[in-house]
Amino acid sequence: RSGHALGNLVLAALVDETGSISDALARAGDLLGARGRVLPAAVDPVRLAGDVGGVRVHGQSLLTDTAGIHRVVIDPPDPDVHPDTVTAIGEADLVVVGPGSLFTSVLAVLEIPRIRDAVAATQARRVYVCNLTEEHGETLGLDVPGLVAALVGHAGPVIDCVLVNTLPVDLGRPLPAPDDDVLSDIPVMRRPLAADHGAVHDSTRLAAALAEALASGPR
């Protein structure tokens, strides 16, 4: 379908083949030779909508290209969640929120009540990894404090640390590191995270920063 990422279309085809999103994710992991396990945020199909200037915009593909989103909501508002997902959050040492599209990926997941409650209750260290650049559409004009304010405004106090890149970025408009060491009562870690080429995180640099965040202490 127009407006959907290829990965989403492949996953939809695997759902048709296997009969469930959980089995589809397991099948995708096998095909890709992935390490670890990918668990769904919701078992039921969920539709995303957002409030923009008093108008409700429906559908992820439209929201992705929309600036000025005030809030996102899901329908149904309390979908079924895979029990292994809640268990994994509760047993984790580290919960990483992001990077990813703030409204249509990160906050869409945290809008699910049982996911949000599990992240709020876990004793894991919870780190929000900020994107490297603005996204055309949904986060256009938002800086790091704006991203954090939107996250906390939607989900409440579900993160313990904000991880921000300090390196220049080849593509896109980079998000400058905030002036303050604390945003919304959350400590900020500034670290070199960007890859040498392109607007993507370097996996080795990001892993090192996350290990440092984990070692900085429990909640």
Side-chain angles (χ1 to χ4, degrees):
R1 296 180 182 179
S2 176
H4 287 275
L6 176 61
N8 290 344
L9 296 176
V10 171
L11 190 57
L14 290 173
V15 171
D16 288 340
E17 177 185 314
T18 64
S20 75
I21 183 64
S22 301
D23 291 340
L25 287 169
R27 175 68 173 143
D30 291 340
L31 292 172
L32 295 172
R35 297 174 62 184
R37 186 181 180 195
V38 178
L39 296 167
V43 176
D44 297 332
V46 172
R47 183 170 175 81
L48 187 65
D51 294 332
V52 183
V55 177
R56 178 149 292 186
V57 177
H58 294 272
Q60 178 181 349
S61 59
L62 290 178
L63 284 173
T64 298
D65 293 326
T66 301
I69 300 171
H70 174 67
R71 185 165 191 90
V72 291
V73 295
I74 56 172
D75 181 26
D78 189 10
D80 284 341
V81 174
H82 197 293
D84 289 354
T85 303
V86 175
T87 299
I89 294 171
E91 294 179 348
D93 296 315
L94 179 70
V95 171
V96 180
V97 179
S101 299
L102 178 68
F103 291 100
T104 57
S105 292
V106 175
L107 293 180
V109 172
L110 290 173
E111 274 297 298
I112 300 173
R114 276 168 277 188
I115 297 292
R116 183 174 61 248
D117 292 346
V119 175
T122 182
Q123 293 303 303
R125 187 76 167 159
R126 304 165 302 180
V127 180
Y128 172 48
V129 180
C130 282
N131 291 348
L132 301 177
T133 66
E134 291 182 344
E135 285 187 281
H136 173 73
E138 62 182 273
T139 61
L140 189 65
L142 286 181
D143 55 9
V144 171
L147 297 176
V148 173
L151 193 157
V152 173
H154 273 75
V158 295
I159 51 175
D160 305 305
C161 176
V162 179
L163 192 53
V164 180
N165 172 59
T166 58
L167 292 176
V169 180
D170 282 350
L171 303 173
R173 181 177 174 181
L175 293 179
D179 295 331
D180 297 325
D181 292 331
V182 176
L183 297 173
S184 299
D185 297 325
I186 305 165
V188 175
M189 285 179 58
R190 298 173 177 83
R191 297 294 184 272
L193 303 175
D196 293 332
H197 302 287
V200 295
H201 287 84
D202 178 90
S203 59
T204 301
R205 292 168 179 165
L206 180 56
L210 289 171
E212 183 182 349
L214 177 60
S216 65
R219 284 179 52 190

